[in-house]
Amino acid sequence: MCYNKSMRNNYSSQRELIFKVLSSTTCHPTAEWVWERCRESMPSISKATVYRNLAGLVKSGRAIEVAGKFGSSHFDARVQPHNHVVCRVCGAVEDSFPSKELALALEHELESRGYDGYGLTFEGLCESCRQKRISAKAQ
Amino acid sequence: MCYNKSMRNNYSSQRELIFKVLSSTTCHPTAEWVWERCRESMPSISKATVYRNLAGLVKSGRAIEVAGKFGSSHFDARVQPHNHVVCRVCGAVEDSFPSKELALALEHELESRGYDGYGLTFEGLCESCRQKRISAKAQ
DNA sequence: TTTCCTGCAAAGTATTTGCAGCCCA
DNA sequence: TGGGCTGCAAATACTTTGCAGGAAA
């Protein structure tokens, strides 16, 4: 999946950059973070443009919005169903890939109830905080 | 479960009211909604107090915060694990009780990964919008 | 040229915080 | 009385919107 000139006629270099930034990270960034990254290569880009385009990407199904409990929205260019862990220590959002059993159960639930989709967010420790805790315990 | 004078020494009538309002509804209200309801019987109560106490209830495990995709947070005084549906039409939040299969799969996932909890929110139609759609189709 | 897009700044929501005073233990 | 809690208002954080101009087809 890519986002470039050839794809559609409402092209803008800003949108291409925003999508590139979003799809080249796995860190589920906030709009603010995407903006900062975009500014590195395009200093004049405005926050409004980032918000507008992220909303557009979500609307058109090219990105998803991850519901976190930390005020601002997080985005993700991987639209395939997968789950998330929100770290209870640092607030980072990471992927969590469900067991076969869980994936199946979720799929059944969608089908049998006629839901359109779901967001499943676990609460726990992210990799980095888990590591820190392990080292702390070792001392 | 109740919330009253005898429970702790930092009692306030505002907090008691807020908890009463929250626990006597199943509609997963926003802070704003709770405030409106509280004002009916205590017109002088301030929004800040409602926000402060809802945050406190969540912190102490007496309520949960439901992540919705509609800007403001929704609260729920039922802390037992259960899931939610956010209506894609009107934004209302409703309960969704999981199938046995799903409940089991979720429990396994928590246990095997060492997570603390989860929030599972489906996207679909709430009861009222589902009904409306059915009547619309019938015509 | 037409249409959609952008940057900027202002406006809009949702929520938090500082402060002086009040209430309960 | 003292600590915690309140109302108020200001401050913050996040996001959206109006507008005039700019870039793509």
Side-chain angles (χ1 to χ4, degrees), chain B residues 1-4 7-8 15-16 19-20 22-23 53-65 75-80:
Chain B
M1 192 121 89
C2 60
Y3 194 93
N4 58 33
M7 283 200 62
R8 39 200 302 186
R15 184 175 302 138
E16 182 171 0
F19 186 71
K20 199 182 103 198
L22 184 60
S23 56
N53 279 292
L54 286 174
L57 289 170
V58 170
K59 205 171 193 175
S60 66
R62 304 173 57 69
I64 57 171
E65 201 175 337
F75 296 87
D76 191 342
R78 279 156 309 160
V79 296
Q80 306 89 334

Side-chain angles (χ1 to χ4, degrees), chain A residues 11-19 38 42 44-45 49 53:
Chain A
Y11 170 83
S12 87
S13 56
Q14 286 88 342
R15 183 175 303 140
E16 181 171 1
L17 174 59
I18 289 163
F19 186 69
C38 286
M42 188 187 281
S44 68
I45 194 169
T49 297
N53 279 290

Side-chain angles (χ1 to χ4, degrees), chain B:
Chain B
M1 192 121 89
C2 60
Y3 194 93
N4 58 33
K5 283 197 177 196
S6 65
M7 283 200 62
R8 39 200 302 186
N9 58 4
N10 57 349
Y11 171 82
S12 86
S13 55
Q14 286 86 343
R15 184 175 302 138
E16 182 171 0
L17 174 59
I18 289 163
F19 186 71
K20 199 182 103 198
V21 164
L22 184 60
S23 56
S24 63
T25 180
T26 61
C27 83
H28 309 80
T30 59
E32 181 88 18
W33 188 96
V34 172
W35 179 59
E36 294 289 358
R37 282 292 309 261
C38 287
R39 287 210 297 172
E40 290 170 11
S41 53
M42 188 186 283
S44 67
I45 195 169
S46 82
K47 229 183 234 187
T49 297
V50 173
Y51 274 101
R52 265 190 292 241
N53 279 292
L54 286 174
L57 289 170
V58 170
K59 205 171 193 175
S60 66
R62 304 173 57 69
I64 57 171
E65 201 175 337
V66 182
K69 292 186 177 174
F70 292 87
S72 47
S73 292
H74 294 249
F75 296 87
D76 191 342
R78 279 156 309 160
V79 296
Q80 306 89 334
H82 64 280
N83 311 320
H84 296 102
V85 197
V86 176
C87 179
R88 68 163 183 268
V89 174
C90 71
V93 179
E94 279 187 353
D95 286 327
S96 170
F97 297 99
S99 65
K100 235 180 198 171
E101 179 200 12
L102 179 57
L104 209 61
L106 285 165
E107 209 170 298
H108 281 179
E109 199 83 353
L110 283 191
E111 228 170 281
S112 64
R113 311 252 176 134
Y115 295 144
D116 304 310
Y118 67 89
L120 174 52
T121 303
F122 292 100
E123 205 178 305
L125 293 177
C126 70
E127 243 343 282
S128 135
C129 288
R130 185 186 303 275
Q131 289 304 329
K132 271 182 209 155
R133 162 163 304 207
I134 292 170
S135 347
K137 267 191 181 166
Q139 305 210 333

Side-chain angles (χ1 to χ4, degrees), chain A residues 16-49:
Chain A
E16 181 171 1
L17 174 59
I18 289 163
F19 186 69
K20 200 181 103 198
V21 164
L22 183 61
S23 56
S24 62
T25 181
T26 61
C27 82
H28 310 78
T30 59
E32 183 88 19
W33 188 96
V34 172
W35 180 59
E36 293 289 356
R37 282 292 308 263
C38 286
R39 286 210 297 171
E40 290 169 12
S41 53
M42 188 187 281
S44 68
I45 194 169
S46 83
K47 228 183 238 188
T49 297

